[in-house]
Amino acid sequence: MIGKISQGVYYIKGDYNVYLIIDESNGILVNSSDGEDNSLIIEGIEEILSSYNIDIKYLILTDHHEESSGGASYVISFFKIPFVISSSEEATFIRKGIGKNRKYNPVSINLEIKNKITNIENLRIIKANSPSLGSLIVLYNNIIFSGVNRISSIIDKINYICNAYECKKVEEPWYLRRDVGHVGDSPRQNTVK
């Protein structure tokens, strides 16, 4: 299943979500699902790319868990992706194909994120260190991509939070809405003693 999150930002729903960002003349893939659904992921990516005249330049693997990196070897080979990005901490596991619960085909990482915050193209890549030491969060146009990390909303800054399991629009909590009266805002009544 393919879905559009916003202009130039898509998800492909396999066993786990894979995200494709069309940024100017580059395709950026975030994660690769678990590898058990490679044909579905490849078909989805090809269908989206058929509307654009670009190639995928980057694959960002947010962590070493199989939900995020298990299908990377096949996706990289199929699309001939030149740059594979991970944190230096996670790269150690990904190069050996070590997931959280099972092994997968090893992947060569050629761009390692070492700083807390790194900017690549129009992306901001942040080391979150959760659920594992070098886990990454990717910020693109008010959309957070977080792999297997579940993040709560950040009002007024983020429009969507997308991980391996779901992609949700950030809604303002009812108690922060401007049209809701708070108890402290109500006029005080005069009391007689």
Side-chain angles (χ1 to χ4, degrees):
M1 179 175 133
I2 297 172
K4 185 174 183 179
I5 299 167
S6 68
Q7 185 62 38
V9 181
Y10 302 88
Y11 69 89
I12 301 97
K13 178 79 173 151
D15 292 343
Y16 300 95
N17 289 347
V18 173
Y19 299 95
L20 178 57
I21 301 167
I22 308 300
D23 182 51
E24 297 172 5
S25 61
N26 295 316
I28 302 164
L29 204 56
V30 179
N31 293 331
S32 64
S33 193
D34 63 358
E36 301 295 321
D37 55 357
N38 281 332
S39 60
L40 181 65
I41 298 299
I42 296 296
E43 288 171 16
I45 294 169
E46 284 186 315
E47 185 175 330
I48 295 166
L49 289 178
S50 69
S51 299
Y52 299 90
N53 187 24
I54 64 164
D55 293 321
I56 298 173
K57 183 175 182 181
Y58 300 102
L59 169 59
I60 302 171
L61 299 173
T62 58
D63 56 63
H64 73 276
H65 295 190
E66 54 274 11
E67 298 98 317
S68 303
S69 300
S73 176
Y74 188 76
V75 170
I76 293 164
S77 174
F78 189 89
F79 289 105
K80 298 179 181 20
I81 301 172
F83 299 106
V84 183
I85 301 170
S86 176
S87 72
S88 52
E89 297 85 354
E90 295 292 295
T92 302
F93 297 105
I94 296 169
R95 284 187 180 108
K96 295 176 182 176
I98 300 173
K100 182 178 179 186
N101 298 311
R102 69 169 176 82
K103 292 192 82 143
Y104 51 83
N105 289 335
V107 175
S108 179
I109 304 295
N110 54 16
L111 286 175
E112 289 185 21
I113 303 298
K114 294 181 180 178
N115 298 327
K116 178 71 177 162
I117 299 175
T118 302
N119 295 315
I120 297 176
E121 305 282 337
N122 291 316
L123 304 172
R124 176 163 281 186
I125 302 173
I126 304 162
K127 277 193 185 178
N129 296 331
S130 174
S132 56
L133 183 59
S135 294
L136 299 176
I137 292 175
V138 179
L139 177 62
Y140 175 79
N141 287 350
N142 297 331
I143 302 171
I144 286 180
F145 303 95
S146 65
V148 297
N149 194 351
R150 294 184 188 254
I151 298 175
S152 60
S153 62
I154 304 166
I155 303 307
D156 295 333
K157 301 289 182 196
I158 302 301
N159 294 335
Y160 291 89
I161 296 177
C162 304
N163 61 34
Y165 311 103
E166 62 189 355
C167 188
K168 287 190 170 183
K169 183 164 179 54
V170 174
E171 298 291 340
E172 188 174 47
W174 67 269
Y175 55 86
L176 290 178
R177 291 188 187 144
R178 289 149 193 78
D179 61 344
V180 175
H182 298 276
V183 173
D185 295 341
S186 55
R188 297 180 186 247
Q189 295 178 342
N190 294 330
T191 57
V192 179
K193 293 184 179 180

